[in-house]
Each structure stands twice: as structure tokens, then as C-alpha cells.
Amino acid sequence: MTVVYMDSLLLLNFAVNYLLLLASARLAGEGIRRLRLAAGAALGAAYAGAVFLPGCMFLSHPVCKVAAAVGMVLCAFGGSVRLVRTALVFLGVTAAFGGGIFAIELLGGQGLTLRSGVFYSAMDLRLILLSAALCYVGISLVFQRGARHAVRGELVGAVLDMGGRKASLTALVDTGNTLTDPVTNRPVMVAEGRAVSALFCPGRCPAPEDLRHPADSLERLSVGAERGRYRLLPYRAVGVECGMLLAVRVDRARIGTEEYGNILVALSPTPVSDGGGYQALIGA
């Protein structure tokens, strides 16, 4: 008779599910929303625990497993424009992890095992967490070459502060982005205008038309609390020999774990990512 310790089972499946969702988000270029990832992982862990409850063995049916996986993906990434892509990546990462566990079982390992399609281990909790972390590292290394943003940069959280108002967004630290402030030679963040609307006083946020024609709107916007914050920023890109962006100087920018201080944020009238996984770009 096999004895299953519910606390170990729930913790193990939560840790593995969280790391699988995190790896999927990074590999698919999806924004990292840790609370939503934790909620998806908790849903998967609850399903794993329910499978072993008396009278609930029907939950091990493949249809129930697929439903649980769909629920996890929707909980973690629902509403994303990259939902299908991220779901497919999650499927591939999960299959790779399950294959690794099956290989360990064939070799006679006594670590992680699959029981009724659920991850289980008789190891103590510290070894469980260590094993889950090692699995995440292994999966990331194997799939890293196929991830678009693993080469160009990484997705990090960013918080901008201007006049006591804050805006939070996801930024891509892009090694190919060389846009800098011509006066200070410091990096310039390029952000979607709508993503930083919380920085402005009510009714003072630049409209899309202002961002498309920055030279015409600079003088009109540079009044009140925003006086002296705006400037025009020249840039060059593929197909654009000499363009202009409306830029605003924020009081403080924290990007990932780095403090950038009062940098310029160029306001883009169009999305900066091809799928909505991030809302800002900044050079490494």
C-alpha cells in the first residue's frame, strides 16, 4: 500500500507547476506576473491533491488532466495576446519534464515519480524544493536557444515615478537598443504611451495624436506640473532616417533590480512588442 503525504504532494506540485509556468513565460516572451503564476500553480497543486482524495480517482482521467492544464494556463496567462503561443510552450516544457521523470524511473531513481499523472516524492521538503529548482534550470538551459528573448535580452518589471504618481510595466532589456539621451548619454526607455498614462495628472496625458506629431504638441503640453519635463528626442530605425519621439523626464525609474534615476522616457504611439509581452524597451 502506497502512503501519500498530502503536504509534500501539494508543495512539490506547487513548486514544479510554478517553475514550469515561469519557464514557459520566459521562453514565450510573456510578461512575468508572479501572483498569477502562483495562482495557476496553486490550481494545479489543488488538482494533484484532489486526485488522491477518496472517491476522486476519476480526476486522473485524461480529460480531467487536460482541463486542469487549461485552467492553469488561463489562470496564469488569461487575456494575453500570446496565450496560444504560451500554452503551446507550456505543453512542450511539461512534456519534456515528464519525459525526464519517466527516464529517471526507468533508471531506477528514487527521487521524483509520477503517480496517477501527479508528481510525488518521498524525499524531505528541502530536497523537494531543490529538485524542483534544478528541473527549472535544466529545462531553461535546454530550451534557451529556442527562446527569442533569451538571446536579445530579458523581460523585467519596471516602475516609473513622476510627481508622486507611478506606473508599472514590463520592459525588455534589449542589447540591440542603443537609444540614449544626447545630452547626458544615458539610456532612454521607449514605452508605449498608454502604458504610462498613470504618470500624468487627470486630463494631462498626451493623446495618441500628440505622440504621432510630437513637434506640434510640445509647446502645448509643456505647461503646469509638466513644465520643463518634455522634450523632442531624435531617433533612427529601419525605414526611418530621422524621426522624432515625444519624451518626458521621470523622477525615478527602477528597472528590474537597477535604479536608473531621472531618465528620459520616450513615448511611442505604437506598441513596442509584436505580441504585447512587454510595453517598454531599454538598452542593456
Side-chain angles (χ1 to χ4, degrees), residues 204 217-231 246-247:
R204 296 296 303 163
S217 56
L218 179 62
E219 183 177 355
R220 180 176 56 80
L221 292 171
S222 299
V223 295
E226 282 79 38
R227 181 183 296 276
R229 288 188 181 273
Y230 286 105
R231 60 173 294 182
L246 184 67

Side-chain angles (χ1 to χ4, degrees), residues 87-270:
L88 292 176
V89 172
F90 177 70
L91 179 63
V93 169
T94 303
F97 185 78
I101 299 304
F102 183 66
I104 292 175
E105 289 188 287
L106 289 178
L107 293 174
Q110 299 299 316
L112 294 171
T113 59
L114 279 171
R115 299 177 188 272
S116 300
V118 173
F119 295 114
Y120 181 70
S121 174
M123 298 183 294
D124 64 62
L125 298 184
R126 288 173 298 179
L127 288 178
I128 288 174
L129 295 177
L130 178 60
S131 298
L134 290 176
C135 289
Y136 168 71
V137 172
I139 290 172
S140 297
L141 290 176
V142 170
F143 285 92
Q144 188 175 23
R145 294 183 180 276
R148 176 181 177 185
H149 298 305
V151 177
R152 295 188 59 203
E154 61 175 335
L155 295 172
V156 296
V159 178
L160 307 178
D161 188 314
M162 188 175 78
R165 295 175 293 276
K166 296 184 179 183
S168 300
L169 60 161
T170 300
L172 173 66
V173 182
D174 187 358
T175 56
N177 181 8
T178 59
L179 185 63
T180 57
D181 184 343
V183 177
T184 64
N185 202 36
R186 298 184 63 202
V188 172
M189 172 182 279
V190 180
E192 297 175 15
R194 62 180 182 177
V196 296
S197 59
L199 293 176
F200 302 92
C201 296
R204 296 296 303 163
C205 181
E209 189 66 20
D210 296 327
L211 303 185
R212 286 191 289 268
H213 304 286
D216 298 336
S217 56
L218 179 62
E219 183 177 355
R220 180 176 56 80
L221 292 171
S222 299
V223 295
E226 282 79 38
R227 181 183 296 276
R229 288 188 181 273
Y230 286 105
R231 60 173 294 182
L232 296 178
L233 187 69
Y235 75 97
R236 297 177 63 183
V238 177
V240 180
E241 183 63 28
C242 184
M244 286 288 179
L245 288 172
L246 184 67
V248 63
R249 188 172 298 279
V250 299
D251 297 326
R252 176 175 176 265
R254 182 178 180 84
I255 304 170
T257 58
E258 299 291 331
E259 293 285 351
Y260 280 69
N262 59 339
I263 64 171
L264 280 177
V265 177
L267 306 179
S268 172
T270 59

